[in-house]
Structures are given as C-alpha cells and as structure tokens.
Amino acid sequence: MRGLLEDPDDEAIARGTIALAHSIGLKVVAEGVEAEAQVQVLRELGCDEMQGFLFGRPMPAAAAFDFVRSRSSNAVPVARHRCDALGVT
C-alpha cells in the first residue's frame, strides 16, 4: 500500500482489484497499511479489511492469542483451538 497516496496508478490498481474481487463475491484485505491516510483511501475504495503496522506489529502466536482474548470473548474458542493445534501454550 506504500504508493497508494502518491501514485495515481497505484490507486487505480487498488480500485480495480477491489472491484474485481467484489464482483466475484470475495472480500478484500489490504495488507501493509501504515498510515491513517491509507485507511481513508482504502475505505473510500470499498476495501473490507486492513492489516499492517498501523494496527499492530508482528507477534509470537502466544502473544497473538492473548491479544485476541483481551478484545473478544467470541474469538477465544477459535484462537485457543488454533493455538492448541500449533502447540502454543
């Protein structure tokens, strides 16, 4: 998403990719989001989800489980199952 704010071609590519994905019933996740301005543009383009350093830094699986657990009790069973499958305690 680095060039999204500076290069009109990058925005056109993002717009086209989002439109294509939506036209075949897919949701779109933008990765590499590092700035609020990128979030705004991606929302305007119809992006469904975003991830990147703006939202959180990479973390070990156990820390990710704790992060999810602290934010949503509904996500705990799934996260716990995945951590168990990975052997994370």
Side-chain angles (χ1 to χ4, degrees):
M1 306 290 21
R2 184 169 296 136
L4 183 66
L5 303 175
E6 297 87 25
D7 188 343
D9 290 341
D10 285 356
E11 183 176 333
I13 291 167
R15 182 184 314 279
T17 302
I18 292 167
L20 175 63
H22 287 166
S23 75
I24 59 173
L26 297 176
K27 292 197 179 271
V28 178
V29 178
E31 61 179 40
V33 178
E34 298 178 355
E36 288 290 340
Q38 291 172 321
V39 171
Q40 183 61 35
V41 171
L42 289 165
R43 283 186 180 146
E44 291 171 5
L45 296 177
C47 186
D48 301 297
E49 303 290 340
M50 297 167 222
Q51 67 181 41
F53 287 160
L54 179 64
F55 306 104
R57 306 297 272 182
M59 62 184 79
F65 171 72
D66 291 339
F67 177 82
V68 170
R69 182 177 55 204
S70 71
R71 283 159 179 76
S72 172
S73 61
N74 295 337
V76 171
V78 174
R80 179 78 265 163
H81 171 74
R82 300 230 192 258
C83 286
D84 289 345
L86 294 170
V88 175
T89 56

